[in-house]
Amino acid sequence: MSATPATTSGNRLAEPAVAATARVVAIAAATTASASLFLIELLAGKILLPLFGGAPSVWISCLAFFQAALVAASLHADRVIRRRGPRFQLAVQVAVFVGAAAAAPAGFALAARFGRPEAAVPLPLLVLATLAAGVGPLFFAVATLSPLYGHWRSLWPDARVAGDGSHAAYSLYAAGNAGSFAMLAAYSTLLEPLAGIGQQIDLTARLFLVVAVLTLAVGGITIRLAGPPSTAAALPVAPVGWRQWLAWAALAAVPASWLASVTTHATVEVAPIPLLWVVPLAVYLASFVVVFSALGRRLSRFQGPALLLATGLAVWLVAADCGEPVWLVLSAHLAAFGVVCLCIHGMLVDRRPAAAELSSFYLALAVGGACGGLFNAIAAPLLFDAHHEFPLAIAAATGLAPAVITCRWSTRLLATCVIAGIIVGVLVAAPWLVLTRTVWLLLLVLAVAVATVTLAGGERALALCGLMLGTFFVGETSRQVLSRERTFFGVLRVCASPNGPSRVLMHGGIRHGIQLLTDDPERRRIPLAYYSEAGPLGSVFAGLDAQGRRSQVGVAGLGIGTLASYARPGDDFVFYEIDPAVARIAADTRWFTFLSDCRGAVRVVVDDARRALEREPDSSLDLLVIDAFTGDSVPTHLLTREAFAIYGRKLRADGALAFHVSNKYLDFVPVVEAVAAAGGWMGLYARDDDVGAEAARLPSEWIVLSRSLDTVQAIYSRPTSDRWTWRLCTESPTAVPWTDDRTAVIEALWHRRRLPEAF
């Protein structure tokens, strides 16, 4: 019998050196492509976060876009793989690469026009449109490679000899996730601190070129090894049943939704630590690497008990509103999430198809991930007034758990009757009840649970119902919530303070202002929290008053409008606030009255502070207060040399620039000092830690800068207290001034606090 082209090619591959080289090239291509894909994602988020206020929802929206783009790329790859052989597939991929490279410059220019939050477009849609115009073509081109590489690798003779080629193909998928994990780790610790945005864009272009070359290499090897199209097509592409396809998508959707949920919950409700979102994403990626390994196969036998234990731990953490100790709570959340990812992704591995159906499998994973991400980014903010998507993800994961116990039909019937009776009772009493949208959604979930009890099994549905009942009303009693509103930037709560007759605005665990509850306007105007008259900010106003120069004041960050209490008749205060909901709450006299009680003129500009300041007249402000750094989302564009240049133009020659740099996890003092020194500013620093028994006064840190020595001396000469004093700002020997091109939040995490020398 004469040797076929495939057999002849297989003999060439049988040579150890050639075979090893080919496998290394394939693994390098898969790893580099995934690393490049993640670099595109991280760079896009780095560029967009400052434009849209740095809220966690921006990153969640970015994730949703990339997941949706992955669906389009996977669908394209599936269609191409099903049509013809490797030669045609490689030609199409080359065309895609060329088109992406040609469209990239015009895309970035178009994205610059889209990326304006003041446009009359919902912010999530604006983020998606900006990403689609800016990095959409590049991302699409690279995202098509994972299923294509897997298909090509399954056609190599060594893979076919070992079976249907699926093991070799899925090993490339694991290698790709390892590449994503490596890029995620390297970006935060190396690339962001050492390279500016321009250098990162250049690196992205170079890496894209490397990926294109490796793709040509893998495609060329496949064409030679797989033989002519008729031989390469010998492996049939069997259709996938819709039930199986939906099962894959459902299994992929739950961890994706949990990823977005735990990221938001951890960074908003538990610990507002910048860059914390990196850790859940790393856990998510690492789980794919593990489940495709031998260790993952050994762990698969424990999927049922492990998944139920993990969801039980998660529901307890959420329902109990755990927040302290932070390191333990975060570790528990990450442990639960990691176990869930291992279990559910392990189920995907157990159900993975043969290599002939590889493209359909990847498409299902992409669709499921996109559904989970888009639900959190788009649907949840429209449906819920709090982060209820987290308990929904927990409940869904519980419903996917393999049965650990079994219920007889009599038990299922009893559970069904009890739950149905509760729902019917509520519906009958509905005309006499005032039910919120959340309650109706809860009833809908219970109705779904009834169907699950009947059809799927009682042990899953009972757990689902218990989880939903235990987590839908998280923290309502303990926080004494008076009003709640969810926006693109997060969930805002107006709460009654437990420390006396006062009211507080909360964003997650961060307090954005406190006001006394009293009928006396003078007492209502007393500034509390970080802004006490006995603290550093009061000293700034007193020093400017002594010079008679502070009638025009700008404030970046509204909160509840506490700084309006410093206004005198004839003063003009302007607040810049990016979140319209904050502006509405601060102006609502049912909750806060600092703006309505203001003795001077006050106006609120809803826009990004830096962009709004650019429209203000030059030399128009006596004092500019930058108050936007207490949360987890750091608006780095307010701390760059270019931003300081804007501040300098808008302030009068003897004006003052005050930075509220209080943050539980970051040290912004070296950052501000480095930029100030580079711009020729003089300044003072104060840290007011000991607030004594004043329950409504919070510890604070302030830096005040000016280009006028007289202004600095006037503020320094004001009486302070035994609890704090002004100290001279000195240039940090380690911090590098931030610019619009280069910012590195991780530097603020690394710096150790030190007290500057006395003035």
Side-chain angles (χ1 to χ4, degrees), residues 305-672:
L307 190 53
L308 289 180
L309 287 174
T311 54
L313 173 60
V315 74
W316 177 76
L317 292 170
V318 176
D321 200 16
C322 297
E324 296 290 343
V326 169
W327 68 270
L328 182 59
V329 174
L330 289 178
S331 299
H333 269 296
L334 292 172
F337 176 57
V339 171
V340 167
C341 287
L342 287 174
C343 291
I344 296 181
H345 291 158
M347 295 178 198
L348 280 169
V349 172
D350 295 339
R351 293 164 173 80
R352 67 189 186 275
E357 300 173 356
L358 187 67
S359 59
S360 293
F361 181 65
Y362 284 141
L363 179 60
L365 297 189
V367 169
C371 289
L374 289 171
F375 173 77
N376 282 65
I378 306 297
L382 297 176
L383 294 173
F384 308 131
D385 59 359
H387 294 127
H388 293 317
E389 61 270 24
F390 196 7
L392 279 173
I394 297 173
T398 305
L400 294 174
V404 179
I405 59 172
T406 57
C407 294
R408 294 179 297 177
W409 272 104
S410 58
T411 307
R412 297 185 188 184
L413 180 61
L414 176 62
T416 302
C417 292
V418 170
I419 297 172
I422 295 174
I423 295 175
V424 171
V426 173
L427 292 176
V428 170
W432 298 276
L433 298 176
V434 179
L435 300 181
T436 64
R437 181 176 61 182
T438 298
V439 175
W440 284 112
L441 288 170
L442 177 58
L443 291 175
L444 176 62
V445 172
L446 289 175
V448 173
V450 171
T452 308
V453 168
T454 305
L455 300 176
E459 66 282 350
R460 298 180 185 179
L462 289 175
L464 184 147
C465 295
L467 287 168
M468 295 309 303
L469 290 171
T471 59
F472 243 100
F473 303 99
V474 176
E476 294 300 297
T477 303
S478 61
R479 288 177 177 166
Q480 303 180 53
V481 177
L482 305 175
S483 175
R484 182 172 57 193
E485 182 173 355
R486 182 170 183 172
T487 73
F488 179 75
F489 299 98
V491 177
L492 299 167
R493 300 178 181 89
V494 179
C495 305
S497 174
N499 299 321
S502 58
R503 193 167 287 156
V504 59
L505 176 64
M506 302 287 297
H507 177 210
I510 300 297
R511 286 170 284 191
H512 286 289
I514 304 172
Q515 185 173 27
L516 292 174
L517 295 177
T518 175
D519 294 330
D520 183 359
E522 291 299 323
R523 285 182 54 78
R524 288 202 305 263
R525 276 194 289 263
I526 296 176
L528 303 174
Y530 317 101
Y531 315 104
S532 169
E533 292 178 334
L537 183 63
S539 177
V540 172
F541 276 100
L544 296 179
D545 283 345
Q547 292 186 301
R549 297 195 301 264
R550 63 101 162 171
S551 61
Q552 304 293 319
V553 177
V555 183
L558 173 62
I560 61 174
T562 307
L563 267 68
S565 61
Y566 282 98
R568 306 165 305 184
D571 288 350
D572 186 4
F573 276 52
V574 55
F575 292 87
Y576 308 104
E577 173 57 50
I578 197 170
D579 191 346
V582 173
R584 288 195 299 270
I585 292 172
D588 192 336
T589 55
R590 293 178 302 167
W591 314 124
F592 305 104
T593 62
F594 280 121
L595 296 182
S596 60
D597 289 338
C598 181
R599 288 170 291 195
V602 62
R603 63 187 172 98
V604 177
V605 178
V606 179
D607 196 359
D608 174 74
R610 178 169 162 177
R611 186 164 32 247
L613 275 168
E614 289 178 335
R615 298 193 295 266
E616 296 288 344
D618 290 347
S619 303
S620 61
L621 297 175
D622 297 303
L623 172 64
L624 177 59
V625 181
I626 309 296
D627 181 18
F629 307 112
T630 53
D632 68 305
S633 303
V634 180
T636 56
H637 63 308
L638 300 181
L639 290 172
T640 64
R641 297 184 65 167
E642 293 82 356
F644 272 60
I646 296 173
Y647 306 152
R649 291 198 305 269
K650 304 309 170 182
L651 286 167
R652 295 193 173 103
D654 53 3
L657 175 61
F659 278 88
H660 181 203
V661 292
S662 304
N663 192 286
K664 188 174 181 180
Y665 302 99
L666 295 173
D667 184 6
F668 290 115
V669 176
V671 176
V672 175

Side-chain angles (χ1 to χ4, degrees), residues 15-342:
E15 298 176 15
V18 175
T21 302
R23 287 193 293 269
V24 168
V25 169
I27 292 173
T31 305
T32 307
S34 294
S36 174
L37 200 67
F38 243 74
L39 179 58
I40 294 172
E41 294 185 35
L42 295 168
L43 177 58
K46 170 81 172 177
I47 295 172
L48 255 67
L49 280 171
L51 295 177
F52 294 91
S57 300
V58 178
W59 176 243
I60 300 302
S61 298
C62 289
L63 281 178
F65 167 80
F66 291 121
Q67 287 164 331
L70 187 60
V71 172
S74 299
L75 181 61
H76 164 82
D78 181 61
R79 295 297 93 189
V80 171
I81 288 171
R82 288 177 180 276
R83 286 187 178 275
R84 296 178 64 182
R87 194 178 300 275
F88 171 79
Q89 295 158 11
L90 181 59
V92 171
Q93 193 61 37
V94 169
V96 170
F97 277 149
V98 172
F108 279 112
L110 190 59
R113 296 181 58 188
F114 282 163
R116 299 183 182 278
E118 72 269 16
V121 179
L123 284 179
L125 297 181
L126 192 59
V127 172
L128 298 180
T130 305
L131 287 167
V135 298
L138 286 177
F139 184 88
F140 177 86
V142 181
T144 58
L145 294 176
S146 184
L148 196 60
Y149 284 160
H151 173 69
W152 285 348
R153 183 68 179 90
S154 69
L155 299 179
W156 292 11
D158 68 325
R160 300 285 294 278
V161 169
D164 64 356
S166 60
H167 177 74
Y170 288 119
S171 67
L172 291 189
Y173 186 74
N177 282 282
S180 299
F181 182 88
M183 177 55 70
L184 180 65
Y187 188 85
S188 300
T189 56
L190 296 175
L191 279 180
E192 188 181 37
L194 299 178
I197 291 178
Q199 294 172 305
Q200 293 178 33
I201 292 175
D202 182 63
L203 175 62
T204 303
R206 294 174 184 272
L207 200 57
F208 181 78
L209 180 60
V210 172
V211 169
V213 172
L214 288 172
T215 300
L216 289 174
V218 176
I221 292 172
T222 303
I223 292 171
R224 293 191 63 187
L225 297 179
S230 59
T231 305
L235 186 64
V237 181
V240 177
W242 67 270
R243 290 179 183 273
Q244 179 62 66
W245 198 91
L246 289 179
W248 291 336
L251 287 172
V254 174
S257 177
W258 195 314
L259 168 64
S261 299
V262 76
T263 300
T264 301
H265 183 79
T267 57
V268 174
E269 303 291 343
V270 179
I273 305 175
L275 300 180
L276 183 59
W277 59 267
V278 171
V279 184
L281 187 55
V283 171
Y284 179 83
L285 294 172
S287 69
F288 279 107
V289 179
V290 173
V291 295
F292 280 101
S293 67
L295 176 61
R297 290 190 289 273
R298 286 195 295 269
L299 293 176
S300 62
R301 70 186 68 177
F302 305 109
Q303 285 174 352
L307 190 53
L308 289 180
L309 287 174
T311 54
L313 173 60
V315 74
W316 177 76
L317 292 170
V318 176
D321 200 16
C322 297
E324 296 290 343
V326 169
W327 68 270
L328 182 59
V329 174
L330 289 178
S331 299
H333 269 296
L334 292 172
F337 176 57
V339 171
V340 167
C341 287
L342 287 174

